[in-house]
Amino acid sequence: MAVRYRPGKEESDSNSLIEENDTSEKPVSSSSESSESGDEMLNTHSTVVKRSNWKKDQWNIVVLLFLYLLQGIPLGMAASIPLIIQSYGASWSQQATFSFAFWPFSLKLLWAPIVDALYLKRFGRRKSWLIPIQYSIGIVMIILSYYINDILLEPASATTNQHPHILFLTSIFFGLSFLAATQDICVDGWALSMLSRENVGWASTCNSVGQTAGYFLGNVVFLALESKDFANRYVRQPLQMELQSTGLITLPGFLTFWGVVFAISTTFIALFKHETDETNDSNEPHFGLIDTYKILLRVLRLPAVRSMAIVLLTIKIGFAAVDSMTGLELIERGVRKDTLALLAIPLIPLEIFLPFLISRYTTGAEPLNLFVKSHPFRLLIGVVLAIYVALTPSFQNYDRSFPWYYYALGVFLYGIQQVFMYNMFVSQMAFFAKVSDPKIGGTYMTLLNTLSNLGSSWVSTGVLYSADFLTWKTCSLGDGKCSTPAEEKNCGMLGGACRPYVDAYYIEVIISTTIGIIWLIWKYRTIIRLQNLPISAWQVRGDNQKYKTLATDE
C-alpha cells in the first residue's frame, strides 16, 4: 500500500487534460482561413472534428508511449528511495530533505517557456531539447550505478549511527526529476505535431498509460525484484534454487540497464525520427519567451486567480501527514517495502477507471460541488488509516509476518481514500478546464496545475521536517536521553536503542486533520463563490488586439 502519492502524478494527469483542452479549442482551418484577422482567429472554435483513426498514427503512438514510459522510470526510482533509506535508518528530517527531489514537476512552468521558445530549427523544435535531456538521464544513471551503494551506506545499527548522504542523494534525484520534467515538456509539445489532428486526443492516453507503466517498472517492479525475501519466497524456493542474500536484481544493475536503454533509444530517435514543425499549422497565437512570462503575470494579477491560488496552496495541509508519512510508518512497524509496493497493484484498475466514472458528475456548471463534499470524507479516512497504522503491531505473527487479512484491510482502506482523492482531483481539473482562458491555450491551465502541485510539495516537505521536532525518544537502558544525534549514538554504543515514546505521526495527523476541518469552514464559501463567478472574471482583461500585438512568429 504505497500511501505516498506518485511524484508528478497530478501534473502528469493535468498534462493529459491540457492536451485534450488544446485539441477542442484549436480550430480546424483551411488555407483560405489563414488570412483571417487575429481577432477572428482568437475567437473561432472548431465545430468540425474528424473521427479518430489510430491506425493512421500507430507508430507515432508507439513512440509517444515509449517516451512517456522512459519518463516514468526515474520518477518511480525516486519514489522508491524514501522506502529504501527508511530501512537504512533515515530520520524524518532526512526524509524531508529528500522530498525536495520531487519538486521539479511542481515548478516546471518556470522554465517551460524557455524550452518552448529556444531551439535549433534545423534539428527540430522538440528534439533540440529531448535528445540531450535523455542522453543526460542515461549518463547520470550509468555513473550513479557505480556509487549508489556507497551513497546509501549501511543501515544504522546498534553501534553506528550511519545514514545515507542525504544531501548528495537529494541533489542527484532532484537533477533526474528536473531532467524528466523537462523531457515531459518536450514530449507534451511534440505529441501535438507528431499525431494528426484527428488523433491528437491520443496524446493524453499515451501520457497516462506510458508514465504509469514507467513508474510501475521503476518503483513496484524494482522494489519487488530487488528484495531478497520476495526472490527467495516466490522465485528461488518454488524453483528449488539455492536461497541467497540478495534479490534478483540490484540497484546498481537496475540503474545501469535503464541508463543503457536511455542511451540506445535516444540514438535511434535522433537518427530515425523526424520532426514536423507545427508552428506553421497552428492558428493559436505563438508567444515569445518574454511575452509568455508577461501573460502569466497578468493572469496571476486576476483577483479570482489569486483567491484560487490561496486555496490550491493550502488545501493539502489537512491530508499532508497521512499522505506523506503513512507508508514510512508502516515500514517502521515491520511491513516490508517490497510488500508495500506490491499492495499497490490491486489498486491500478481502480486508478484507471475512477476518473471516467467520476467525470459524469463534474461536467456540469458546478464541478466543485463534488470537490467540497469529498473533503471531509478524505479527512475521515485519513484518521482511519492512522488507527490502522497504530494497530499494525497487534496483527503481526510470531515470525514478524502479517496475515493476509491485514493486507486486504489495508488495500480496502487505501482504495476508499483513492476514491475521495480522485473525486477532488477530477472535479478540480474539470473546473480548471471550465475557467481557463482559451486565448492563452494551455498556459493558463498549466499555471493552475502548477499551483496545485506546489501546494502538495511544500506541505509534504514541511510535515516531514516538523516530525523530528515532535518526536521524543528515550534510551532503552533506562533514563538515558535521545534528544540529540550525539545522545542517540551514545545510547547505541552502550548497547541500547533509542525508542520513541511520543510518535510524531499521530501528533501530525491530529494537527493536520484539525487544520483541515478549520480550512474547510474557512474556505467553503470562497470555493462556492469562485465556482459561481462569471467566466469573464477569469479572463485577462484587454481586447484581442493586445494578444495580437504580443503574438510572435517563432
Side-chain angles (χ1 to χ4, degrees):
M1 183 179 59
V3 177
R4 288 177 66 93
Y5 295 135
R6 187 174 81 202
K9 176 175 178 59
E10 293 187 11
E11 183 69 22
S12 169
D13 292 338
S14 69
N15 286 338
S16 302
L17 290 171
I18 290 169
E19 304 303 347
E20 294 175 1
N21 190 44
D22 290 347
T23 305
S24 65
E25 292 172 358
K26 290 182 180 178
V28 179
S29 65
S30 64
S31 58
S32 63
E33 293 172 332
S34 61
S35 60
E36 290 180 339
S37 69
D39 292 355
E40 291 172 336
M41 290 193 303
L42 291 169
N43 291 317
T44 301
H45 289 250
S46 172
T47 57
V48 180
V49 180
K50 294 182 180 179
R51 186 175 182 179
S52 174
N53 179 16
W54 68 271
K55 293 183 178 180
K56 178 180 178 181
D57 287 317
Q58 57 184 337
W59 291 113
N60 287 331
I61 290 174
V62 170
V63 171
L64 285 174
L65 279 170
F66 183 72
L67 289 175
Y68 280 119
L69 182 146
L70 290 180
Q71 179 190 128
I73 296 296
L75 298 180
M77 294 193 66
S80 68
I81 295 299
L83 304 180
I84 294 174
I85 63 177
Q86 185 73 6
S87 62
Y88 280 15
S91 64
W92 286 120
S93 61
Q94 289 174 320
Q95 291 283 5
T97 299
F98 187 80
S99 70
F100 281 106
F102 305 128
W103 279 58
F105 266 81
S106 300
L107 301 173
K108 69 177 185 177
L109 184 64
L110 297 177
W111 67 90
I114 299 175
V115 176
D116 194 57
L118 304 179
Y119 59 95
L120 299 175
K121 192 170 185 179
R122 292 183 60 183
F123 194 56
R125 184 179 185 183
R126 309 303 175 184
K127 288 173 65 176
S128 295
W129 289 90
L130 182 69
I131 301 305
I133 287 296
Q134 292 201 163
Y135 272 132
S136 299
I137 294 176
I139 292 171
V140 170
M141 283 185 166
I142 293 173
I143 295 175
L144 181 60
S145 67
Y146 290 97
Y147 302 101
I148 187 65
N149 285 337
D150 293 332
I151 295 172
L152 291 174
L153 294 176
E154 295 296 324
S157 66
T159 57
T160 65
N161 194 30
Q162 292 180 321
H163 295 295
H165 296 298
I166 198 68
L167 290 176
F168 188 40
L169 194 65
T170 303
S171 300
I172 293 171
F173 279 93
F174 181 92
L176 282 173
S177 294
F178 174 82
L179 293 173
T182 307
Q183 192 254 26
D184 183 51
I185 297 168
C186 300
V187 179
D188 283 348
W190 198 2
L192 296 179
S193 59
M194 188 183 298
L195 300 175
S196 56
R197 182 58 58 90
E198 64 267 27
N199 290 325
V200 76
W202 278 89
S204 60
T205 303
C206 293
N207 183 305
S208 178
V209 174
Q211 194 184 75
T212 299
Y215 181 89
F216 182 79
L217 289 172
N219 185 266
V220 177
V221 173
F222 163 69
L223 288 173
L225 297 182
E226 186 263 349
S227 168
K228 66 173 182 176
D229 297 317
F230 177 87
N232 289 335
R233 178 178 299 181
Y234 298 106
V235 179
R236 297 185 179 119
Q237 202 169 36
L239 296 177
Q240 296 183 346
M241 298 171 61
E242 182 181 353
L243 302 184
Q244 300 181 20
S245 60
T246 60
L248 297 176
I249 62 174
T250 63
L251 181 54
F254 193 79
L255 285 166
T256 300
F257 172 79
W258 283 108
V260 172
V261 170
F262 265 94
I264 294 176
S265 61
T266 303
T267 301
F268 274 95
I269 292 172
L271 295 177
F272 301 112
K273 182 60 183 172
H274 301 290
E275 183 176 352
T276 301
D277 186 1
E278 79 277 14
T279 57
N280 294 326
D281 293 332
S282 177
N283 283 326
E284 284 191 2
H286 286 278
F287 299 103
L289 179 61
I290 303 301
D291 294 332
T292 300
Y293 285 113
K294 288 181 179 178
I295 288 292
L296 291 175
L297 290 175
R298 292 181 67 184
V299 171
L300 285 171
R301 291 193 186 105
L302 294 174
V305 173
R306 290 202 301 267
S307 295
M308 178 55 70
I310 295 174
V311 170
L312 296 175
L313 291 173
T314 57
I315 188 172
K316 303 293 177 61
I317 296 176
F319 322 119
V322 172
D323 292 352
S324 303
M325 301 172 68
T326 300
L328 302 177
E329 283 287 319
L330 289 174
I331 291 177
E332 282 288 308
R333 284 158 178 75
V335 180
R336 298 199 310 269
K337 61 181 183 295
D338 57 301
T339 303
L340 202 61
L342 290 173
L343 289 177
I345 295 177
L347 295 168
I348 291 177
L350 182 69
E351 295 176 351
I352 292 174
F353 291 109
L354 262 178
F356 296 100
L357 297 175
I358 297 168
S359 60
R360 69 178 64 181
Y361 302 105
T362 60
T363 54
E366 299 178 329
L368 291 182
N369 285 352
L370 186 62
F371 182 89
V372 293
K373 289 178 181 178
S374 298
H375 187 280
F377 291 101
R378 188 173 170 186
L379 291 175
L380 177 62
I381 194 62
V383 175
V384 175
L385 279 169
I387 296 173
Y388 172 78
V389 172
L391 295 176
T392 292
S394 64
F395 284 95
Q396 199 168 35
N397 297 322
Y398 67 92
D399 60 351
R400 301 187 64 81
S401 64
F402 292 90
W404 67 268
Y405 52 84
Y406 168 80
Y407 296 122
L409 178 60
V411 172
F412 174 73
L413 292 176
Y414 185 51
I416 295 176
Q417 187 198 40
Q418 287 288 89
V419 170
F420 295 117
M421 187 272 286
Y422 272 97
N423 282 350
M424 297 183 68
F425 172 70
V426 175
S427 59
Q428 172 183 291
M429 292 304 304
F431 180 74
F432 289 173
K434 172 188 172 184
V435 302
S436 293
D437 192 338
K439 296 189 293 295
I440 310 176
T443 303
Y444 198 124
M445 194 166 179
T446 305
L447 172 63
L448 294 176
N449 282 296
T450 298
L451 292 170
S452 177
N453 289 317
L454 188 58
S456 299
S457 297
W458 82 263
V459 296
S460 175
T461 301
V463 159
L464 291 171
Y465 267 125
S466 60
D468 262 355
F469 298 98
L470 297 174
T471 301
W472 285 270
K473 297 180 181 179
T474 183
C475 185
S476 60
L477 297 178
D479 296 331
K481 295 181 179 180
C482 291
S483 56
T484 66
E487 290 174 345
E488 287 190 40
K489 185 175 181 180
N490 184 59
C491 178
M493 292 177 64
L494 294 175
C498 289
R499 294 170 182 164
Y501 62 91
V502 177
D503 197 318
Y505 174 67
Y506 304 111
I507 297 177
E508 297 227 27
V509 168
I510 293 172
I511 293 175
S512 63
T513 302
T514 303
I515 294 176
I517 295 172
I518 296 172
W519 184 95
L520 184 61
I521 297 172
W522 173 44
K523 284 297 180 182
Y524 176 82
R525 292 181 181 275
T526 300
I527 294 173
I528 300 302
R529 179 180 61 82
L530 291 173
Q531 179 175 244
N532 293 328
L533 286 175
I535 295 299
S536 59
W538 299 90
Q539 295 179 345
V540 177
R541 292 180 175 83
D543 56 28
N544 289 334
Q545 184 62 32
K546 292 184 179 180
Y547 286 101
K548 181 181 176 183
T549 302
L550 284 174
T552 59
D553 288 328
E554 296 183 0

